[in-house]
Amino acid sequence: MAKNLVIVESPTKAKTIKKFLGSNYEVIASEGHIRDLPKSSMGIDIANDYEPHYITIRGKGDLLSTLKKAAKKSDFVYLATDPDREGEAISYHLSVALKLEEKKFKRITFNEITKGAVKSSIKAARGIDMDLVDAQQARRVVDRLVGYEISPLLWEKLGKKSLSAGRVQSVALKMISDREKEIDAFIPKEYWSLDALLTVPGQKKSVAFSFKGDIASSKEAEDLKKRLTGSDFVVTDIKTSSRTQKAPLPFTTSTLQQTASSRLNFSTSKTMRVAQQLYEGVEIKGKGTVGLITYLRTDSTRISNEADESARNYIKENFGEEYVADTTSAVADTKKNIQDAHEAIRPTDVTITPASLKGNVSNEQYKLYKLIYERFLASRMKPAEFSIFSVTVTADGETFKASSSSLKFAGYQNVYSADDDKSKNQVNLSGIEKGDKLALDDISTVQHFTEPPSHYTESLLVRTMEENGIGRPSTYAPTISTLIARRYVVKEQKNLYITELGEAVNNVMETAFPEIVNVEFTANMESLLDNIGEGTVQWKVVVRNFYPDLENEVSHAHENLEKIKIADEESEEICEECGARMVVKYGAYGKFLACPNFPNCRFTMPYYEKIGVSCPECGGDIVKKITRKGRPFYGCINYPDCEFTSWNKPVEKKCPRCGKYMIVKGKKTACSDKECGYSE
């Protein structure tokens, strides 16, 4: 019988797909790209019309030999890399590296790794889409030109070899810098609120009716309070209305990253890592390896007819016909530049409930799958309906209002509740009638100040990048990870703060390369890349129009920009050999302390981040450490003399029940002794 070879990117994906295909198919993973531009040089022949020079990636030689042998033995080869531009480029480079004859191979794509999708893709096998390959090639070449032309300039002007510039990362850095400047320049403006606490029939506590007007100062607030005290508070208007809360759309890459951040406290990179695992497949007892979600890099909210019908049937059977959304209420994508080659992120099989996966998947996988599953199911359900009861009260010519709401029909909220749907301190105003006089219990005044713009978090930055057309679903997480890894920004309590180094890099970019860091320019470049993918623009035309201006700006910057000295961060530690104050340096494995008198003094020591907590065993400082695999833990600074360690962050407070040290567990602090079980 004929032998067929299927090439995918990852071993997990290969294992999942192999299960669907018979012994007539061999499935091998390329483990990502086989060919790429060289790291040691730009790899682009500018004189030869920007022709890229691709080489076999170092360390992939043996794998390439294995793939060549497998392809030679096979009668036909299917290139089954991911269904996006980068996947198309990987397939193209595989076809070149393996020297495949056009009649001997085809490209197949599937949005989900299920038996039906994989078998259908083989029936719909096609040739390589060179427009998509060229779109990816154009992105790669433009980004390489930016990085390899500007990075050496940064090394020269800032005196640090570890610096880099990137087309998308530089714009994201400027956005963070601009936000910091807005916050620094913000001048708070005072204002006051005033609530009349009135007795309402049927309510044990008085109800706050909010004053509808502007109060600019404490004097205005006090004058109003004095004037209203002793006045009659008369109900002048009552309104009953309804409000509907539409079901949310299924997840795109951006909305998944944002929601996973707010609800699960996942970073963008963690969300993508766990989603990749769910997409490629996890081992489930009795079923083998199963791909649980559709492709994770998408900016479309479209859902296939089959998945839509399956979800509606499931809702009908488990919740009732009245919960199924009207078939006419499907929501279309309205954003520009939607890449609609595949669907929104959804479960591959709606009958695989989150509860059924417990014990088969990790805690992280369970949480993310549950979020994706519930969001998708909710998107096919009817809106939630609320009854709103609003009361207007007048006193001495001033207006006060209060309202209450009650849920009439849960709709999608039976499976997925938005954060802002959770009512707090809800009151019942239905006992009030027009003309009633409500007794005044008290008047409260509160001083407020207008708030500056909030710092960017990862999720807010992703949302802003998406709104401005900067980057694409596959670039959000790597862009943020690069900014943090390069130490251009630091992440504290979810907020992103620009560092002194990041500010210096941004200043160079703004001064010398204003177009590169211009939001509109970057968004326009993304549109041009889309046009290449659609076959309406030639990729080299884009590069030809882009590079000459970049080359001139780089040349001008080399000649005219002054060098900037960035001082190393000083620590509290003193060099044991020469007595100088140690400075923080960065190596391949993170921070370390070094003597500033290098090379005359070469003394170094580990860098420890103290958390302000004493060791419960010896009284030394507890410091944050990192395992070789990157997992944080906490230990005593006096190791190895003291071997105290904890995966959870200790706190200074002792357990009031047993006296042992407490640790942070999620949003609680708990006793470190599980048998004690105390938490707060």
Side-chain angles (χ1 to χ4, degrees):
M1 293 180 68
K3 260 289 186 186
N4 299 295
L5 173 64
V6 179
I7 303 178
V8 297
E9 289 107 324
S10 79
T12 304
K13 192 174 175 182
K15 184 180 178 183
T16 309
I17 291 172
K18 177 64 179 171
K19 189 179 67 170
F20 306 137
L21 303 172
S23 57
N24 200 29
Y25 289 84
E26 182 179 7
V27 186
I28 302 179
S30 69
E31 299 179 19
H33 285 273
I34 285 288
R35 299 201 314 162
D36 196 7
L37 297 171
K39 286 186 176 181
S40 58
S41 62
M42 183 180 288
I44 298 166
D45 190 346
I46 295 171
N48 188 26
D49 200 18
Y50 307 99
E51 193 64 28
H53 171 60
Y54 296 104
I55 61 169
T56 301
I57 295 172
R58 182 175 293 181
K60 290 286 186 85
D62 291 343
L63 177 57
L64 181 58
S65 297
T66 300
L67 289 170
K68 282 181 177 178
K69 289 175 185 176
K72 195 171 183 179
K73 287 191 300 181
S74 303
D75 293 326
F76 205 81
V77 178
Y78 292 100
L79 302 174
T81 50
D82 284 347
D84 57 13
R85 292 174 188 166
E86 188 162 9
E88 202 74 22
I90 293 174
S91 284
Y92 165 73
H93 288 297
L94 280 167
S95 71
V96 174
L98 300 179
K99 299 178 180 177
L100 299 177
E101 297 177 26
E102 195 170 332
K103 61 182 180 181
K104 192 182 174 180
F105 80 94
K106 288 287 185 182
R107 169 85 165 113
I108 60 173
T109 59
F110 32 82
N111 190 47
E112 58 189 78
I113 305 177
T114 59
K115 186 174 183 178
V118 172
K119 292 207 164 184
S120 295
S121 71
I122 291 176
K123 293 178 183 177
R126 58 170 175 79
I128 298 285
D129 187 331
M130 285 307 299
D131 290 332
L132 295 180
V133 173
D134 286 344
Q136 180 62 23
Q137 187 161 238
R139 177 185 291 279
R140 192 79 181 92
V141 168
V142 168
D143 289 351
R144 174 57 68 102
L145 290 169
V146 170
Y148 276 61
E149 289 281 9
I150 299 179
S151 295
L153 175 74
L154 295 177
W155 305 342
E156 175 193 330
K157 300 302 180 183
L158 300 180
K160 291 182 179 289
K161 282 279 187 178
S162 60
L163 305 181
S164 73
R167 185 177 57 86
V168 176
Q169 83 177 46
S170 296
V171 181
L173 181 64
K174 183 179 185 300
M175 289 166 61
I176 296 170
S177 174
D178 288 348
R179 178 59 58 90
E180 293 291 312
K181 290 172 185 174
E182 283 183 65
I183 294 170
D184 290 342
F186 182 80
I187 300 174
K189 185 178 179 182
E190 180 187 13
Y191 70 98
W192 288 71
S193 64
L194 184 147
D195 286 344
L197 304 178
L198 306 177
T199 299
V200 172
Q203 295 292 306
K204 292 181 181 179
K205 293 183 178 180
S206 55
V207 176
F209 282 71
S210 300
F211 171 71
K212 297 301 168 184
D214 297 325
I215 308 173
S217 66
S218 60
K219 185 178 185 307
E220 284 184 33
E222 283 302 313
D223 289 347
L224 184 60
K225 182 176 180 178
K226 287 177 184 177
R227 182 159 60 86
L228 292 170
T229 302
S231 298
D232 290 334
F233 286 79
V234 180
V235 177
T236 53
D237 190 29
I238 293 176
K239 286 184 180 178
T240 302
S241 60
S242 295
R243 177 175 68 89
T244 59
Q245 179 77 48
K246 287 184 179 180
L249 296 171
F251 283 127
T252 62
T253 302
S254 168
T255 55
L256 176 62
Q257 289 173 348
Q258 293 168 47
T259 309
S261 173
S262 62
R263 296 199 175 197
L264 306 179
N265 202 26
F266 282 11
S267 65
T268 53
S269 57
K270 181 176 182 178
T271 298
M272 297 305 283
R273 172 174 55 80
V274 177
Q276 186 75 32
Q277 295 164 1
L278 296 174
Y279 167 68
E280 292 183 349
V282 296
E283 193 72 25
I284 298 178
K285 291 176 184 175
K287 293 187 177 181
T289 309
V290 178
L292 293 174
I293 65 169
T294 53
Y295 192 53
L296 59 150
R297 295 178 181 89
T298 176
D299 50 9
S300 171
T301 55
R302 182 179 64 81
I303 293 295
S304 70
N305 292 335
E306 295 82 2
D308 180 72
E309 184 180 357
S310 176
R312 293 177 187 278
N313 289 336
Y314 182 88
I315 294 164
K316 182 178 178 181
E317 291 172 9
N318 289 273
F319 297 93
E321 178 76 45
E322 68 273 20
Y323 282 90
V324 181
D326 297 331
T327 54
T328 57
S329 63
V331 182
D333 289 310
T334 56
K335 294 178 295 181
K336 295 180 180 179
N337 301 324
I338 289 293
Q339 302 300 306
D340 202 32
H342 29 78
E343 303 177 52
I345 303 170
R346 62 166 175 82
T348 56
D349 184 348
V350 77
T351 64
I352 302 178
T353 63
S356 71
L357 292 178
K358 282 205 165 179
N360 290 285
V361 297
S362 70
N363 189 43
E364 292 175 347
Q365 291 169 340
Y366 169 77
K367 287 180 178 178
L368 194 64
Y369 180 75
K370 185 173 184 286
L371 193 66
I372 293 167
Y373 181 93
E374 292 176 349
R375 176 84 163 222
F376 168 64
L377 206 61
S379 74
R380 299 1 253 172
M381 298 176 76
K382 281 188 176 174
E385 297 178 15
F386 299 86
S387 291
I388 310 297
F389 192 80
S390 302
V391 177
T392 301
V393 172
T394 303
D396 196 21
E398 305 294 353
T399 302
F400 295 80
K401 287 189 177 182
S403 63
S404 64
S405 66
S406 59
L407 185 66
K408 287 199 302 182
F409 177 67
Y412 78 90
Q413 291 194 3
N414 259 351
V415 295
Y416 185 91
S417 294
D419 293 335
D420 56 6
D421 291 332
K422 297 172 184 175
S423 300
K424 294 181 180 179
N425 303 320
Q426 191 61 270
V427 295
N428 182 5
L429 301 175
S430 58
I432 299 177
E433 294 184 2
K434 191 172 181 179
D436 284 351
K437 289 185 179 181
L438 303 181
L440 175 66
D441 292 333
D442 194 12
I443 293 178
S444 69
T445 58
V446 180
Q447 183 186 36
H448 306 275
F449 291 94
T450 53
E451 295 285 338
S454 58
H455 288 279
Y456 276 117
T457 60
E458 288 193 32
S459 61
L460 179 57
L461 184 60
V462 166
R463 188 175 78 195
T464 309
M465 288 172 68
E466 183 185 38
E467 288 172 351
N468 285 282
I470 299 169
R472 284 296 179 260
S474 60
T475 64
Y476 301 138
T479 297
I480 294 171
S481 295
T482 299
L483 291 175
I484 294 173
R486 295 289 182 190
R487 305 182 305 283
Y488 295 169
V489 301
V490 293
K491 183 178 174 183
E492 295 178 7
Q493 300 294 318
K494 283 194 173 184
N495 290 333
L496 299 175
Y497 298 90
I498 193 163
T499 64
E500 184 183 1
L501 177 61
E503 198 62 73
V505 170
N506 182 62
N507 287 339
V508 171
M509 295 300 297
E510 281 191 301
T511 303
F513 309 101
E515 271 203 335
I516 296 292
V517 295
N518 180 277
V519 169
E520 289 76 17
F521 175 83
T522 306
N524 183 57
M525 178 61 73
E526 294 293 350
S527 296
L528 288 172
L529 295 174
D530 292 340
N531 293 338
I532 295 169
E534 293 161 5
T536 57
V537 174
Q538 295 296 311
W539 78 269
K540 284 192 176 180
V541 172
V542 173
V543 180
R544 288 178 201 133
N545 290 334
F546 170 78
Y547 182 72
D549 289 340
L550 173 67
E551 186 180 32
N552 290 335
E553 288 174 343
V554 169
S555 177
H556 184 268
H558 273 295
E559 293 176 8
N560 296 285
L561 272 185
E562 294 183 0
K563 292 185 178 181
I564 303 169
K565 175 66 176 175
I566 302 175
D568 289 312
E569 176 188 349
E570 285 192 344
S571 74
E572 297 177 357
E573 304 294 335
I574 302 299
C575 176
E576 295 178 7
E577 295 187 3
C578 72
R581 189 181 289 273
M582 304 283 279
V583 295
V584 179
K585 294 285 187 179
Y586 295 83
Y589 302 100
K591 293 180 181 180
F592 67 96
L593 297 179
C595 182
N597 293 325
F598 179 88
N600 296 326
C601 180
R602 295 177 176 270
F603 181 75
T604 63
M605 61 188 294
Y607 173 87
Y608 293 121
E609 182 183 333
K610 297 177 182 179
I611 65 170
V613 177
S614 301
C615 175
E617 294 184 7
C618 75
D621 287 313
I622 297 294
V623 294
K624 184 178 180 180
K625 300 183 178 182
I626 305 292
T627 67
R628 289 185 178 182
K629 293 187 177 181
R631 183 180 177 185
F633 71 100
Y634 301 88
C636 182
I637 198 170
N638 294 326
Y639 177 86
D641 296 330
C642 177
E643 296 186 350
F644 171 81
T645 58
S646 171
W647 288 114
N648 296 94
K649 184 179 181 179
V651 296
E652 197 67 49
K653 183 177 179 179
K654 303 299 180 188
C655 175
R657 183 181 293 171
C658 72
K660 294 184 178 177
Y661 71 93
M662 303 272 283
I663 56 175
V664 176
K665 295 195 78 172
K667 295 182 179 179
K668 296 182 179 180
T669 53
C671 181
S672 57
D673 187 344
K674 291 182 180 179
E675 293 184 5
C676 171
Y678 178 81
S679 67
E680 58 186 41

